[in-house]
Amino acid sequence: RMVTLRNRYEVVRPVYSEDSFAADHEKVCRRRKTILQHIKEYLTCDSKRATNAVLSLLPIIGWMRIYRVREWLLGDVVSGISTGMVAIMQGLAFSLLASLPPSYGLYTAFFPMLTYFFLGTSRHISVGSFPVLSLMVGAVVTRLVPEQGAPANITGFEGLTQDQQRVLVASSVTFLMGVFQLAMGIMQVGFVVMYLSDTLVSGFTTAAAVHILVSQLKFVLGLSVPGINGPLSIIYTLEKIFVQITSTNICDLVMSILIMIVVFIVKELNNIYKAKLPVPIPIEVIMTIIACGVSYGFNFEERFDVGIVGKMVSGYETPIAPNMQVIQNSAVEAFPIAIVGFAVAFSVAKVYSIKHDYTIDGNQELIAFGVSNIFGASFRSFAASTALSRTAVQESSGGKTQIAGLISAMMAMIVTVALGFLLEPLPKSVLGALVIVNLKGMLMQFSEILYLWRKDKPDCVVWVVTCLGAILLGLDIGLAVGLGVELLTVVFRTQFPRCSVLANIQGTNLYRDHKDYLHIFEPKGVKIFRIPSPIFFANIEFFKDKLVEAVGFNPLRVLRKRNKALRKIKKLLKKKTTTPTTDDMNMEELDLPTDLKDLPFRMDWNAELPPNISVPRVDLHSLILDFSAVSFLDISALKGLKMTLKEFIHIDVDVYIVSCDAYILEKLHSCMFFDDEILTSMFFPTLHDAMLHVLDKHKDKKSNGRVVSKTIYISFFLYWASAWMLCIKNI
């Protein structure tokens, strides 16, 4: 085995306690700002802060100033065209998920991008429709405007067709979604997305992929299945599909299977040869054009009863205001849509910002998406975020800035204004097939279950519960369930941490779990206990139990046994009775420190005692608590810790606390933690300092321990015998 040469270091310094360290090294006194000072500083404005505020609010100024026209413009143009073609196809397809006419998917590919171009901090994400958000919006649309039956009783629906009612619902939900995002951005709460872990998002998007797959089966099979909402809606939808399975349109099915096979194969080839291809082959666009031509040429709509896109809206309609009744009826769904939309966009943006070495601002992203969705909703678009596949095309095809995104939006505009009629014969089954084949990445996330089970079982539980909850209960409820389980795992990890007993690695100043290493040094009578989590009201009892388990005895029980034994000894010595009893001793007296003042000899509780006196043997003389991973203590934990320390001190066990955070030390001082028994000298800056102090303190006690024990036993025996003799003489 190869021997690695390592650098060595030697440090010669005194053994420090916290007190001696403070005496030798003067600490800087920092003045903390008051709340009023923070508010005053926040509201103070000067030219520098005003400039930074403008640059923060309009990130386009920052990257436009460094734009390299000769190097970047061609790449942005090529990328914009490539991304635009994908965005058009995905807009048409994802509008079916939102239960809207396909032409409105092109609106979502255009309007939100116009404002994100100025306000967004990411230079690479492609803003537009996202399948999960489309499905969540579609759930609200079908709830308020079902395919079969009367729509909800909402003012503003009068005189509108079913499609117009659905567009009004989708735009109102999107408007409210944007308001939520804008409000969170203004209030600087972009950190909330951190509560959505990668595991939770993975489970949630996998469940969404299952919902999307089921929702597209009716288009692929050419069936008429009404939209169903609420818990177990996926089960009821599958039931209706299987009831009608014999009515499958064979033309739709064959066309969908062929398109899925071809698109899947070409996408795999794109991945394999992506280093050699200047841009990915736009197979979705190619298959869409072919399908349109074949459908038009052979008149699929009339000959084979194939459902087609139909009349496309030409141009753009006038802006509309959101419907307040729809907003009131959809507030519960709009908030998770806002959170999921931002979480997905931010996570994708973060990946590419790290890759290309620039920073993104979570709060500004919230503002950008909030304004984009409000603006888009005013022009009848639905929820916008980003799609990983579309963003990958924009970045891999040479896109450097959001100029590529702007060009892709212009392509969507051209199709909407001038070329939309060419898409009218496109079969809906083709769009459904394109949606399903693009789910591969999300459905492949099922493979994470085995990995998570082997590596981190609580994370695996979060994934499975989130996925099952979102599949069975619906995406909004499932997200709430997953978030609740995720927070419970955090509580579980902090409430029941993996405590350990440490030992010194021989020849070093390092300490590790004594179960993990062979060559360790554990001095007799010393125990090092480590708790790797904050200590608070929920885990203080767990901390006590684990500490008792580590040392092998309960200090309070030992103290009570000693006090009972001491009571017997004092009665024998005072000749009060020949049959000592302890019935008159209450529990409060048993919990008091052992009083050895009146004894005419030195008491060693580990010495051999007479048969009628039984006291648990305690071989521990020093207990070291490693607080290096304790980030905070609350008041309940502080009281419990103080009580526990005193219990050990009362049975003559020296307690030391090491590597305690400075903030915790300040809190201990301010909360009157220290007294005559718990002293500041018990605290040490490092574990090795405390160990050296203990070894030095007890090095002289090893040699005379057995002599002291024998002397104590003989002294006690002589006093006990003399007491008996005096009793007999008096009789």
Side-chain angles (χ1 to χ4, degrees), residues 29 34 59 94 126 207 259 263 282 311 388 439 481 495 540 592 601 679:
C29 183
T34 64
F94 296 161
S126 174
I259 286 174
V263 172
K311 181 66 176 176
L388 182 57
L439 296 177
V481 170
Q495 190 170 349
I540 183 62
L592 294 175
F601 53 83
L679 309 173

Side-chain angles (χ1 to χ4, degrees), residues 183-304:
M184 288 190 290
I186 292 173
M187 293 188 293
Q188 304 285 292
V189 291
F191 63 88
V192 295
V193 73
M194 303 305 173
Y195 290 102
L196 302 179
S197 66
D198 292 342
T199 304
L200 184 143
V201 171
S202 174
F204 177 77
T205 52
T206 305
V210 174
H211 276 282
I212 293 168
L213 175 63
V214 172
S215 71
Q216 296 306 293
L217 288 178
K218 64 180 182 181
F219 298 112
V220 170
L221 300 175
L223 301 176
S224 178
V225 179
I228 302 173
N229 292 297
L232 302 180
S233 61
I234 193 170
I235 305 296
Y236 299 135
T237 302
L238 286 172
E239 179 191 13
K240 290 187 177 296
I241 289 173
F242 285 115
V243 166
Q244 303 179 45
I245 197 72
T246 55
S247 303
T248 299
N249 188 308
I250 302 301
C251 181
D252 275 324
L253 180 60
V254 171
M255 190 162 39
S256 300
I257 292 174
L258 285 175
I259 286 174
M260 283 191 282
I261 291 173
V262 172
V263 172
F264 177 80
I265 292 173
V266 175
K267 277 181 170 287
E268 291 299 308
L269 292 175
N270 279 340
N271 287 332
I272 294 172
Y273 297 106
K274 62 183 178 182
K276 298 180 179 180
L277 293 171
V279 294
I281 301 171
I283 186 61
E284 290 102 334
V285 178
I286 295 171
M287 295 308 296
T288 300
I289 294 172
I290 294 173
C292 278
V294 172
S295 174
Y296 178 77
F298 290 94
N299 197 10
F300 278 4
E301 182 183 14
E302 295 183 4
R303 291 182 63 182
F304 302 107

Side-chain angles (χ1 to χ4, degrees), residues 401-418:
T401 66
Q402 283 300 342
I403 287 179
L406 188 63
I407 293 173
S408 71
M410 293 301 108
M411 290 192 63
M413 180 192 70
I414 292 170
V415 172
T416 303
V417 172

Side-chain angles (χ1 to χ4, degrees), residues 44-61:
T44 301
C45 184
D46 53 29
S47 58
K48 184 178 180 181
R49 290 197 65 182
T51 303
N52 291 335
V54 172
L55 291 175
S56 175
L57 189 61
L58 294 172
I60 184 176
I61 299 174

